[in-house]
Each structure stands twice: as C-alpha cells, then as structure tokens.
Amino acid sequence: MSTESSPLLSYRLFSVVDEGEMPGSRAQEEAPLVGGGAMGTPHPDPAGRLSTFFGVVVPTVLSMFSIVVFMRVGFVVGHAGFLQSLLMLVVAYVIILLTVLSVCAICTNGAIQGGGAYFMISRTLGPEFGGSIGLMFYLANVCACGVYILGLVEAVLDVFGADGTDPPGARILPQGYFYSFLYGSVVLLLCLLVCLVGARIYARAAFLIFLVVNLVLLDIFISFVAVGPRQVPVARDANHTVNASFTGFRLATLRANLPAMYSRDYTTNNVMTFATVFAVMFNGCTGIMAGSNMSGELRNASSSIPKGTIIAVVYTFVIYFLLFLMTSFTCERTLLKEDYGFFRSINLWPPLVLVGVYAASLSASMSSLIGASRILHALAKDDLFGIILAPAKIVSKGGNPWVAVLYTWALVQLVLFAGKLNTIAGIVTVFYLVAYAAVDLACLALEWASAPNFRPTFQLFSWHTCLLGIASCLLMMFLISPAGASGSLVLMLALLGSIHLRAPASSWGYISQALIFHQVRKYLLLLDVRKEHVKFWRPQMLLMVANPRSGAQLVRFVNDLKKGGLFVLGHVEIGELDTMPSDPVQAHYNFWLSLVDKLNVKAFVDLTLSPSVRQGTQHLLRITGLGGMKPNTLVLGFYDACVPDDEFLRHPAFSQAQERDPFGVDQPALQAHFPPVRGAGAPKALPPAEYVAIVSDAVKMHKNVCLARYFPRLDKERLFSCKAEGCFVDVWPLNLLRPDTPAYVDVCSLFLLQLACILTMVSSWRAARLRLFLCVESGDRGWLAKEEKLKELLGKLRIKAAIRAVAWDHVVALHGQRPAAGEPFLNPAAHRVTDEYLAAVNALVLQQGGQVAVRFLYLPRPPADTTAYERYLEQLEILTRDLGPTLLVHGLTPVTCTEL
C-alpha cells in the first residue's frame, strides 16, 4: 500500500524574523539559560516586537495553507466523496486542536522567550523528550520540504510538461522520473542559495505571500459562483483526452459526490483508500507550531500563542470546509479525479491560481529548509547527539547556521528520490503525528506529575484532552501506514533511550523525576506497615560509614546483601549547629551521591550533624526512610586496631580517568573531600564503649545488628575466577560466646541463616555454596536428632545448604565449669568466657577446609552492664581474629516462613 500525504506550505520557524535574532543565532547562543524555560536572549524594544496577527496568525496560516489547498482538494473529494472528506477534515482538526491545546499549555507555563518549540519542550521536559521530539520535528520538516518541492514540480509539469494539460505550445519540459528529480533538485538549489544568504530575504516577503495566497483563495470562491457550467477537457497523455464537467451549483452533483469512490491515483498508479487519502489531506493541517516557534519575537507570547494559533486553526478549517462543499456542489467526479489542478480550468483568470500554487510551494519549501536547519543547529548546540551533529554548530558572521543548512539540503535531496508527492506524503504525516503525540504526552506528563510550578495561563486543556490527543494520533498513524507508524515509534524510542544513556546531565529539569516523585509518594502511602508479613520480609540496611576510603568494599557487599530492599549509607558529622553559620551537611550530599555513582550501588544517602556518633546514629535509626521503607538492620564496621587501607587507591572506579561530572563533583574533588585513612598509631575518634553502646541502642530500638570485619580483604573476582575449586559461605548458628544456652533454631540463628541464603541468591554469588556447621560433643547422643531437625528445617525453608558436624570437645573443655546433665543453667556470669576458649573457637572455625568467601557468626546481645562493654568487644575481637571477611549477626525479627 502506498502511503500518501503532504504537509505542504510549512512556514515552520521563521516569518518576519531578523536573521540575527533567530533561534540558534549567535546572539541566542551567547545568552544564558533562564530557569527551566527557553533560551534567554537579548530582546528589542517591545514596541518593535510582533503582534498576535503578524507573529502567530500569519505564519500559522501560511504553514497550514500549502499546495494541498490548490492541488489536492479535488483528489480528496474525488476519491473519498464529500461525506468521508468531511469526516477526514473533522478527524484531522480534532487531532490538531488537541495538540494545539497541549502546545498552548506548555508555551504559557511561565515567561516564554526565544528558541521555538524544540527549546520550550526540551527546557520544560528535559533532554530525553526534547531531543527525541526535536529530531522528529527535524525529520518531519526535511520530508515536508521534499514534499513541497515535488508538489511544485508536479504543478509546473501539469502546465508546461510534455504531457501537460495546456495547449501544445506551452508543453516545453520533458517529463519522466529523472526529469522530475532534476527539476526538484534545481528548485532545491534555489532554496539552498536563499537559505545560505539568510532567512531575511524570505521573512520580508512572508506577509506579501500571505496576501497572495488569500487573494487566490478569494478568486477561487468567486469563480465557483461566477463561472457558468462548462466542459473541461482533461488530457492524461498525448493520445487520451477525457471530457469532464463543471456543472455549477447543482444538488444532483452534490448527491453524486456524497459517497466514496476510490480508484487509481493517476500520479502514482496506486489504488487509493481512506487511509492514503487521509494522509494526503492531513498535510494541509500541519504547521500549527509556527506561531509558538515565534515566541521570542512576540510582544506577549503567553497571550498571543493561544489566541493566534486557535484563530489560525479555525480560519483554515472554515476555508477547507467551504472548498470541499463548493467542489462537491459544482464538479463532476471525473474532473476531480483526472485533474488535480482543476481550479485553473474553472477560474476567472487561470494564471492567478498558478501564482498561488507556485508562491505557496516555493515559500513552504524555503521555510521548511530554514526551519529544519535551525532545529538541527539547536540540537547540535545542546550536544545531544555527539560528534555526528557537531559541525552543525558552525555559524556565519551573521549568525546563519550554514553547515546545518547544508546538512538539511543533503537530506532533502535524498527525499526527492521518491519522485512523487503522494509517495512520501504518508511518511511525512506519520512523522508529524508522532511529533504531535509526543507533545501531547509531554503535556500529559506535566499534568500527571502535579508539579506546583506547572500552572499555565492557558487553561482550556486537561489530562483528558492530552490522552485523547495521544490516542487519536496513534490510531491515525497505524491507519495510514502500520509499517511506517511502527518504524517511527521505534525510532523515537531508540532516540529517547540513546539520549537518556549517553547525554550529559542538564540543568533543564527532568519530567521523569517529577513523575517518579509523584508515583513514589503515592505508593509509599499505600505501603502500610500494619500489613507487613514475614513472607515478604526483606533486609533494609543502614550502613554507617565513617570514611568511605576504608569502607568501599563493605558498601558493595551490603549492596549485594540487601536483596531488593532499602539500602542507606549513613554518616555522622560531629558538631553543634548552634556554633555554625549554616548546616555543613547539605554541601556534602553531592560528594556522597557521586560516591554512590562511582561504586555503582543502589543506595540512598543520609547525613546528620550531631555532638556524638552515638546520638547521630540514633537520629538516623529513627528518622531515616519513609513509611514502610525504613531500615530494620544496622550494619557497622568492626572496631579493632587494624590500620585501614585506602580503597580509593586500588578501586578501578577511582583510578580511571573521568570526564567532567555533570553535577560538579569531578574525581579530584571527590578524592579531596574524604579525608585520608587513619594511620598506624593514630587514635580513634570513637571510644570502644561508645561503639558497643551504639550496638546496644540498636538492639533496644528493635533493630537487627550486623558487625562486619575484614571486608577490605574480600576479593570476589579472585574467589569466583576458579569455579572448579568453588568457594563457601559458612554459617555458624550457635552462640559461640554462650555455648550453654544453645538453640540452633532461635530467631537470631534463623536470621543469620536467612542473610546467608539471600547472599547466595545474588547472581554474582551463585557460585558460592552454603555450609551450616553443627557443633557436637562426643557424649551428646542427641546430635543426630539435631542434624535431622536442621535438615527438615532447611527443607521447609527451601534453603540448599550442606550440614557439617564438627566435634568440639576440646573447645568446650575450656569453657569452665558447666552444669551437670539436666541441671538448668541459672548463673551465666559464674561461667566466664576465657580468652583460651575464644582462641580455641577461633582455631576451630579456621580449621574448616575449603576456600571461604564470607563467614556468618552469631552475635550475642551486648551486656546490660556498661562496664563490661570493653570486655565484650575484646571477646568479639578474639573470636573473629584472622577469620577473613566475617559478619557477626544479631537478629531480633522473625524473617522466615514455611507456609505458602
């Protein structure tokens, strides 16, 4: 099926615009961005700026009146009949009007300055939408320029071609595919020369062209009434002439023209359908952006754009309706189908129609070429497509982007290979519909985001009109050309994704961020903590980081451990706000967020200012998160005398060269912000008693606690490089500091097991195998029952783990006096845990064979007596000495479930 349509007089960007003041000109290029709107440009005296009529109505009407109004009215009515033609007109203008409402809403949202539609959309919605829509506008203008030129060539050959309809003396131009291409190339070259000189030549003639086009239309309407019935000979070739009738106003003619009668189009020899005819007709409705593109030259853009655009749309609709009606009343179908230029044959003065056709087509071709080149220049200046468009930034001394003009000329030259107007009209229509749908989508996104700063002065729109506009555009796209519509949408999505991935961050503002905020707030309100269930529990980690230079590896490990849960990096700045002129924490967020980007972890950052680390941690445990997304687990680095390594020096993310950071934090600044690691012999800022107090506070606040030791030694790449050997994640569910209060299935040991299982579920840890150690004594005859009970439990919990029984008689013997068999353990303090016992436990853990990646150990609750805090810490240090990456875990919340 051939696709047909043609947006034909495109006045696109420039009407009466001085070359030096155009979007993309040097004056604009030197101006700064103003807020989130369009480009800030130096403006002339308001008295010299354009009114609604000259700035909006004239360019928009010229854009919507093109060769369609002179050369395709008969084509539409002849094939579709009056009723379907009227339906096409209404559908087209409904789509146009819905898009106009969206454009007016965006344009009136704040002060509008120079820059055109691309600048307004990109500065409002961000580079992804702006860049993709901008490029679609550019391609639409390129194709439209080719359509206008082909339409002009067709109009010339219809009169002066060897197979033309005029007397033999006028048929001086040879015809054929390559001749049409040659004539189109000559016209395009003429347009190129004008555009290289500058837009000023064309802009000064815009109002004159407007008058000429309307004068020709007036002459056509008068001719319908003044010219009497006549026979019009229509010659399709040298040997075939058809007689067609102009009947004047007759009801019989109207009745004959009411139904559709699709047949072959004599220019393409393809059978027409509703979709192909609509594609051609819709091109007469494009160009609604011309007024908004003049925003920088208007006296009052917020008022002029809505008024002028709507006036132009209503005016052109009335003209098209009257032309369809009068044509249906006065012309036989044969005349309409066999002579698309029949207005000349029934006109009082036929040459005047030719003047209108040629003026409209040539004007549209030049304005499309100029408009497309300015859009391309604007895209190039924003660096959204990299080196491909970099040369298009070059401008002449007068500010004319001549390289962008050459780019556009070359692309239009390729479009001319299509040969016939109706051949590429459908492609142009699809491009415009994609662009219009994108504008409606942009306005819909702004409306749904509910941003307080989106309050346009134009109020005649709603999310319903935006949604209806999107749906109607998509429907007509697929009706016109399913393949073309699919290809256009894929192209637009590819552009959007490409810009999103590679374009640098901008200060324009991102609609995606507003939408995400709106949705996250809505779903956070729906996340009711009262509806939590253990089946859907997940770890939500607060990792306290004193200095990321020594904690980068632990940050990455906890990122693996979170299993899609909340992960927050917490940090406490020591100080009193009363003694400071301003809060120092706010200025540090960018550095921490850049650190998150560098480490490639999915984490939030929460910083606080407090007189002590303990108070700051309490603050973060209480206030971090929102609603049902609050930390349930505190992770701390282990408190020991080890001299930390500077992980920034060996981490690849901090050693590679980096381009300029879009948020102002480059690599040297990030390195300089975080202080050097503590050297050997340097005192710690945090006393040991305060460290244990933090653990105790977290337990009192019913938070799970994890203490991480030796994680700078964790090397996942080395561990998993030799898959034949394999590595293990070891779990010791027994409270090794209190072996006489054993329970392999208490809440804490199950929490320990759950975390280890979660770790092995992460894709990068799936090569690791889980081992569960069961400590047994030679005199304990019930250990087989314990093992069976553990196996049954693991089966119910769907955890794949190997259970290994470990004899530890020699270890238990060092634990001191123990109660006799069956005697309750009433006084734990009487059985002190000796260093020898702890060293023996440590040796036992180390003796287990295999390459161990991480060990999970039971963390006992801190003692109630604060004077025992340091001894508690000493015991943990001896227990975990030289074990490699070890996580001591104290769990308080049930986290496993055997039910469906």
Side-chain angles (χ1 to χ4, degrees):
M1 178 179 68
S2 68
T3 52
E4 286 118 26
S5 149
S6 79
L8 298 168
L9 173 61
S10 167
Y11 185 84
R12 287 307 156 251
L13 281 174
F14 308 107
S15 178
V16 278
V17 186
D18 196 297
E19 182 179 324
E21 297 172 315
M22 289 177 193
S25 70
R26 182 171 57 188
Q28 190 167 6
E29 190 170 293
E30 295 170 354
L33 284 176
V34 180
M39 297 291 286
T41 58
H43 293 296
D45 185 355
R49 299 168 81 181
L50 300 177
S51 64
T52 300
F53 179 76
F54 287 101
V56 182
V57 176
V58 169
T60 305
V61 169
L62 283 176
S63 296
M64 299 181 74
F65 279 161
S66 58
I67 198 168
V68 167
V69 80
F70 298 114
M71 296 289 290
R72 288 297 182 267
V73 169
F75 165 82
V76 174
V77 177
H79 286 283
F82 176 69
L83 294 180
Q84 287 196 17
S85 298
L86 190 59
L87 175 63
M88 291 179 187
L89 186 67
V90 172
V91 170
Y93 269 82
V94 166
I95 295 174
I96 291 300
L97 186 60
L98 292 172
T99 305
V100 166
L101 298 181
S102 299
V103 170
C104 293
I106 295 175
C107 291
T108 59
N109 184 39
I112 300 298
Q113 301 180 16
Y118 161 68
F119 283 102
M120 287 183 285
I121 294 171
S122 62
R123 267 56 179 181
T124 302
L125 305 179
E128 293 95 341
F129 273 99
S132 56
I133 295 171
L135 193 60
M136 295 302 291
F137 275 150
Y138 173 71
L139 294 176
N141 277 273
V142 166
C143 294
C145 182
V147 167
Y148 303 147
I149 291 174
L150 291 175
L152 177 58
V153 170
E154 182 181 317
V156 171
L157 292 179
D158 201 44
V159 178
F160 300 107
D163 300 329
T165 58
D166 276 30
R171 303 175 189 174
I172 58 176
L173 296 177
Q175 288 186 246
Y177 172 80
F178 287 104
Y179 281 110
S180 296
F181 175 76
L182 177 62
Y183 302 148
S185 299
V186 172
V187 174
L188 179 59
L189 181 62
L190 175 63
C191 296
L192 173 66
L193 294 176
V194 173
C195 293
L196 287 176
V197 173
R200 184 180 297 140
I201 296 175
Y202 169 71
R204 289 176 178 174
F207 181 61
L208 177 62
I209 295 172
F210 176 81
L211 292 178
V212 169
V213 169
N214 282 277
L215 177 63
V216 174
L217 288 172
L218 180 62
D219 174 62
I220 289 172
F221 286 129
I222 293 173
S223 297
F224 273 121
V225 178
V227 173
R230 63 174 64 176
Q231 291 291 315
V232 180
V234 180
R236 291 276 55 85
D237 54 53
N239 302 318
H240 183 212
T241 301
V242 177
N243 287 322
S245 298
F246 173 77
T247 65
F249 285 91
R250 292 179 58 186
L251 283 175
T253 305
L254 177 63
R255 281 195 295 269
N257 286 328
L258 286 179
M261 193 178 295
Y262 295 104
S263 59
R264 290 188 180 274
D265 167 31
Y266 70 80
T267 66
T268 63
N269 204 32
N270 294 323
V271 176
M272 295 293 100
T273 64
F274 179 91
T276 53
V277 173
F278 175 81
V280 175
M281 195 281 302
F282 184 79
N283 281 281
C285 309
T286 57
I288 57 173
M289 302 292 185
S292 60
N293 288 330
M294 300 298 297
S295 58
E297 313 304 322
L298 300 173
R299 293 177 187 168
N300 186 351
S302 297
S303 172
S304 296
I305 290 175
K307 289 180 182 177
T309 306
I310 293 174
I311 289 171
V313 168
V314 172
Y315 175 69
T316 55
F317 175 82
V318 171
I319 296 297
Y320 276 116
F321 173 76
L322 292 176
L323 286 174
F324 285 176
L325 180 64
M326 291 184 172
T327 299
S328 301
F329 254 115
T330 59
C331 301
E332 286 187 349
R333 198 179 292 266
T334 303
L335 176 62
L336 302 179
K337 285 187 176 183
E338 299 298 330
D339 184 9
Y340 297 158
F342 75 97
F343 281 148
R344 285 192 307 112
S345 304
I346 64 170
N347 201 269
L348 291 172
W349 189 44
L352 188 60
V353 177
L354 288 180
V355 172
V357 171
Y358 298 160
S361 302
L362 193 61
S363 168
S365 303
M366 288 189 294
S367 64
S368 290
L369 189 63
I370 292 172
S373 66
R374 267 51 179 187
I375 295 172
L376 184 66
H377 178 60
L379 287 166
K381 287 199 304 178
D382 287 336
D383 288 322
L384 298 182
F385 296 95
I387 195 171
I388 298 175
L389 297 185
K393 299 179 185 179
I394 301 173
V395 296
S396 66
K397 292 182 179 179
N400 187 26
W402 61 273
V403 176
V405 173
L406 291 177
Y407 266 61
T408 308
W409 167 79
L411 289 177
V412 176
Q413 192 70 57
L414 294 177
V415 173
L416 294 181
F417 278 107
K420 292 292 182 181
L421 181 153
N422 286 7
T423 304
I424 59 172
I427 299 173
V428 180
T429 298
V430 166
F431 275 160
Y432 273 105
L433 285 170
V434 169
Y436 293 163
V439 173
D440 288 323
L441 178 62
C443 189
L444 178 67
L446 283 170
E447 180 71 5
W448 276 356
S450 301
N453 282 324
F454 181 62
R455 42 180 185 269
T457 56
F458 182 83
Q459 293 294 319
L460 298 178
F461 80 102
S462 70
W463 68 266
H464 303 85
T465 62
C466 299
L467 197 59
L468 185 59
I470 295 170
S472 57
C473 286
L474 293 177
L475 177 64
M476 295 314 302
M477 280 168 52
F478 283 95
L479 182 64
I480 292 168
S481 173
S486 301
S488 299
L489 290 177
V490 169
L491 174 61
M492 184 172 178
L493 291 175
L495 291 172
L496 195 149
S498 173
I499 297 172
H500 177 74
L501 292 175
R502 67 168 305 280
S506 73
S507 58
W508 306 345
Y510 293 82
I511 187 61
S512 58
Q513 293 298 302
L515 287 171
I516 290 169
F517 178 89
H518 182 72
Q519 293 302 107
V520 167
R521 181 195 64 84
K522 182 170 69 175
Y523 286 114
L524 273 175
L525 290 172
L526 296 176
L527 190 61
D528 193 340
V529 293
R530 296 169 296 181
K531 298 178 182 179
E532 287 181 352
H533 193 280
V534 66
K535 287 191 296 186
F536 307 111
W537 179 91
R538 65 182 71 226
Q540 305 200 106
M541 305 289 200
L542 171 62
L543 171 61
M544 298 301 298
V545 182
N547 188 346
R549 285 183 177 274
S550 59
Q553 196 72 320
L554 179 57
V555 171
R556 298 176 71 189
F557 174 77
V558 177
N559 184 66
D560 290 339
L561 196 61
K562 71 181 187 303
K563 185 56 180 174
L566 179 68
F567 180 24
V568 181
L569 297 181
H571 177 72
V572 179
E573 296 272 350
I574 304 300
E576 291 276 2
L577 191 58
D578 289 344
T579 63
M580 299 178 179
S582 63
D583 185 2
V585 166
Q586 299 304 317
H588 298 172
Y589 268 98
N590 266 3
F591 294 97
W592 282 86
L593 292 173
S594 294
L595 173 73
V596 168
D597 294 338
K598 280 283 190 182
L599 294 175
N600 194 27
V601 295
K602 297 177 181 178
F604 297 94
V605 172
D606 213 346
L607 312 178
T608 188
L609 181 71
S610 179
S612 70
V613 176
R614 182 182 180 185
Q615 288 186 30
T617 305
Q618 289 178 5
H619 297 165
L620 294 177
L621 282 172
R622 292 183 187 280
I623 66 174
T624 295
L626 284 174
M629 292 191 68
K630 295 182 74 69
N632 56 30
T633 304
L634 174 67
V635 183
L636 301 172
F638 195 78
Y639 191 99
D640 56 22
C642 294
V643 178
D645 295 328
D646 191 341
E647 297 179 34
F648 280 14
L649 300 179
R650 57 189 178 90
H651 196 288
F654 298 96
S655 58
Q656 297 170 353
Q658 176 197 357
E659 298 178 1
R660 182 179 62 86
D661 186 270
F663 299 102
V665 181
D666 55 16
Q667 193 155 288
L670 187 65
Q671 293 269 11
H673 175 73
F674 297 109
V677 296
R678 177 176 53 84
K684 288 196 169 190
L686 183 67
E690 186 177 353
Y691 176 84
V692 179
I694 292 173
V695 176
S696 180
D697 292 342
V699 173
K700 291 176 182 177
M701 297 168 73
H702 207 67
K703 305 292 183 182
N704 310 298
V705 180
C706 298
L707 306 183
R709 190 175 192 189
Y710 295 126
F711 274 89
R713 301 182 187 179
L714 179 63
D715 188 351
K716 280 171 50 177
E717 289 73 16
R718 181 185 60 81
L719 285 170
F720 300 123
S721 59
C722 302
K723 294 187 177 179
E725 296 180 10
C727 63
F728 301 99
V729 173
D730 287 355
V731 179
W732 296 79
L734 180 65
N735 184 350
L736 297 173
L737 265 66
R738 305 288 187 269
D740 288 305
T741 56
Y744 282 95
V745 290
D746 68 358
V747 171
C748 184
S749 57
L750 288 177
F751 185 87
L752 192 76
L753 185 60
Q754 179 81 327
L755 286 186
C757 177
I758 287 172
L759 184 64
T760 58
M761 292 169 67
V762 178
S763 58
S764 59
W765 284 85
R766 289 197 175 164
R769 287 174 286 173
L770 192 59
R771 297 192 300 187
L772 185 63
F773 289 92
L774 179 63
C775 299
V776 300
E777 299 178 51
S778 57
D780 184 3
R781 300 184 182 276
W783 72 270
L784 286 174
K786 291 180 181 179
E787 184 177 14
E788 287 302 319
K789 186 177 179 181
L790 276 177
K791 285 182 180 179
E792 182 183 357
L793 177 65
L794 292 176
K796 289 181 178 179
L797 296 177
R798 291 88 59 204
I799 296 175
K800 294 176 64 176
I803 299 177
R804 295 190 58 176
V806 179
W808 72 326
D809 299 64
H810 63 289
V811 176
V812 175
L814 299 174
H815 188 250
Q817 182 184 358
R818 304 172 63 227
E823 180 183 341
F825 188 75
L826 300 175
N827 188 10
H831 307 281
R832 298 182 59 82
V833 177
T834 63
D835 290 352
E836 291 79 4
Y837 165 76
L838 294 172
V841 173
N842 176 265
L844 178 68
V845 174
L846 276 173
Q847 286 169 6
Q848 307 312 309
Q851 187 169 258
V852 181
V854 180
R855 292 179 172 89
F856 286 79
L857 272 60
Y858 192 117
L859 174 67
R861 188 185 184 107
D865 184 3
T866 58
T867 60
Y869 278 179
E870 293 194 23
R871 174 58 186 166
Y872 170 79
L873 197 55
E874 289 174 7
Q875 291 174 343
L876 297 180
E877 194 281 327
I878 298 171
L879 177 66
T880 58
R881 186 177 297 165
D882 297 325
L883 288 185
T886 302
L887 200 67
L888 291 158
V889 180
H890 185 83
L892 294 173
T893 55
V895 294
T896 57
C897 181
T898 60
E899 298 176 357
L900 183 62

